[in-house]
Amino acid sequence: MAEAAEPGASRLWIRDPRAILAGGAGGGIVVAGTRIVECVAAGAKPAGPVDETFDASRHVVIPGLINTHHHAFQTLTRAHPAAINKPLFPWLKALYTVWGRITPEAFRLATRVALTELLLSGCTTAGDHHYLFPKGLEESVDIQVAEARDLGIRAAITRGSMSLSDREGGLPPESLTQDDDTILADCERVLNLFHDPAPGATVQIGLAPCSPFAVTQRLMRESAELAARHGCRLHTHLGETLDEDSYCQLMFGCRPVDYLEEVGWLNDRVWLAHGIHFNDAEVARLGKAGVGICHCPTSNMTLASGRCRTCELEAAGSPVGLGVDGSASNDSSNLMEGVRHALMINRLTYGAEAVTHRDVLRWATEGSAACLGRSDIGRIEPGREADLALFTLEELRFSGAHDPLAALVLCGATRADRVMVAGRWRVIDGQPLGVDTGMLREAHSRLAVDLFGGA
């Protein structure tokens, strides 16, 4: 099973992995340029000559993980005393005024920390939903694009927004909101500057009004129209808590999925974060429309928001992906850790045999790619982008493990040994290339204390 390589591209054989999450690839894979061009059967050799060989006999090879929901700025307020032990609405209210102090430099470091953490966990495509634009942070998307490019991670950045303040019946304070016209103009600006709809894109932009309780109906409708014109994706929080259900009933006289349809969002260009509190009829409607769902197990457990109906949603036709969610509700940006949490909470919901380690790995790869509308990433097969995560099983936690792929999830792998994005190694021997993690941690931690330590 092979595909023609890019003319002149060097061919790398990642040879004889200990295990690989791909059919017919027991002998490894061949990478040329940015793509996988051949899967090699066990005991076989590549069909054509190779320029370089990497011995993967110590490694378990999986597709690069794809994160479909995060809030990178929240790395600055992990385990913050103002918000510990609170459900979503009180948690948000406690942190809104804290987050208003963030500076451009703090935001840059927060983004760098989040993206580095994701990369080290085996993530090759980093989704981020940034909705915080206080005065001075108007070019947040520009900062995130620059950081992703510098680190070499693929990025799916959504230009979030909040336009409905507490004075107008929303949840956020007025100091953190922008008016609809300002938001829409900047959405068009960043789409024109950064969005690449082509296969193999390293940066794509989506539009992401924050939630029903933080934006106007006008912004939802006009964001959908703008996304249709630019051919980009739409993203928002929906169905996360029962408080949200009550809010929608009070403000709009309907449930969240009804609201979604009313504003023109019930279609396959949309993926939603959380998607917990849907009834049977709503699950069917979402599935029929092809609306994707980003399951955020760690955050959902931390805030006690509830359990996503992953199996029913997927059976109905909704793509299901995974996300770490914000580092102030997850307190981590580790997607491999989130894969394990997805297995545990879904087994608690559906039973030990209903959800396997392969299911949750599929959600974190193929399912997440489908949420982002991408068919060029998420699987190890010829023609796909060479986005790979390689793990060793040499820590004490893996001693005695018999099934290498299952061990990644069941024994709790948290850090990749090697990570490849678009055919280039971005993590080698557990270290991100070009990043001094000690200096990054020191600078980020200092700013977190200086800006938010006294709250």
Side-chain angles (χ1 to χ4, degrees), residues 188-398:
E188 186 121 39
R189 180 186 72 86
V190 297
L191 283 166
N192 288 331
L193 275 176
F194 304 122
H195 181 57
D196 181 0
T202 56
V203 175
Q204 292 191 333
I205 302 294
L207 303 184
C210 186
S211 62
F213 50 82
V215 299
T216 65
Q217 293 184 58
R218 177 202 165 196
L219 184 61
M220 292 290 286
R221 291 193 180 95
E222 295 194 21
S223 293
E225 294 166 4
L226 185 58
R229 292 200 300 275
H230 283 266
C232 75
R233 309 292 284 183
L234 288 163
H235 183 52
T236 192
H237 298 91
L238 203 82
E240 184 175 1
T241 66
L242 293 173
D243 284 340
E244 181 191 308
D245 284 359
S246 300
Y247 179 90
C248 287
Q249 291 281 10
L250 177 66
M251 297 297 291
F252 312 124
C254 63
R255 288 174 54 81
V257 174
D258 298 319
Y259 174 77
L260 201 71
E261 184 168 25
E262 184 179 326
V263 293
W265 278 55
L266 202 63
N267 60 67
D268 62 4
R269 194 181 296 114
V270 174
W271 89 100
L272 308 172
H274 303 291
I276 296 169
H277 297 286
F278 299 141
N279 60 36
D280 291 347
E282 290 164 345
V283 167
R285 289 166 65 192
L286 291 164
K288 184 177 179 180
V291 175
I293 305 294
C294 172
H295 176 33
C296 301
T298 309
S299 173
N300 294 164
M301 289 188 285
T302 299
L303 296 176
S305 298
R307 305 176 191 178
C308 179
R309 300 181 66 184
T310 50
C311 292
E312 292 97 327
L313 285 158
E314 193 168 45
S318 286
V320 172
L322 290 188
V324 294
D325 199 14
S327 282
S329 59
N330 181 324
D331 300 302
S332 171
S333 305
N334 191 311
L335 190 53
M336 195 64 202
E337 180 183 70
V339 170
R340 185 169 190 259
H341 289 165
L343 180 71
M344 300 307 173
I345 192 171
N346 281 278
R347 283 193 169 179
L348 188 62
T349 302
Y350 298 107
E353 297 179 353
V355 179
T356 71
H357 64 282
R358 288 180 177 268
D359 289 321
V360 291
L361 286 168
R362 174 172 51 78
W363 289 342
T365 53
E366 291 181 66
S368 286
C371 285
L372 299 180
R374 299 193 66 157
S375 59
D376 57 338
I377 58 177
R379 283 177 63 93
I380 295 174
E381 63 184 20
R384 300 264 182 161
E385 290 290 297
D387 291 3
L388 306 167
L390 284 67
F391 294 82
T392 64
L393 302 180
E394 294 167 359
E395 297 173 66
L396 194 60
R397 72 177 69 200
F398 299 112

Side-chain angles (χ1 to χ4, degrees), residues 8-9 52 68 84 93 98 119 130 179 185 236 265 298 341 383 399-400:
E52 186 181 354
T68 54
I84 291 174
K93 289 180 178 179
V98 175
L119 190 65
H130 183 69
D179 65 77
T236 192
W265 278 55
T298 309
H341 289 165
S399 182

Side-chain angles (χ1 to χ4, degrees), residues 8 41 121 123 150 158 160 166 168 175 213 276 286 303 310 327 409 433:
S121 75
C123 178
D150 188 57
T158 57
D166 51 6
E168 302 159 303
S175 60
F213 50 82
I276 296 169
L286 291 164
L303 296 176
T310 50
S327 282
V409 182
L433 300 187

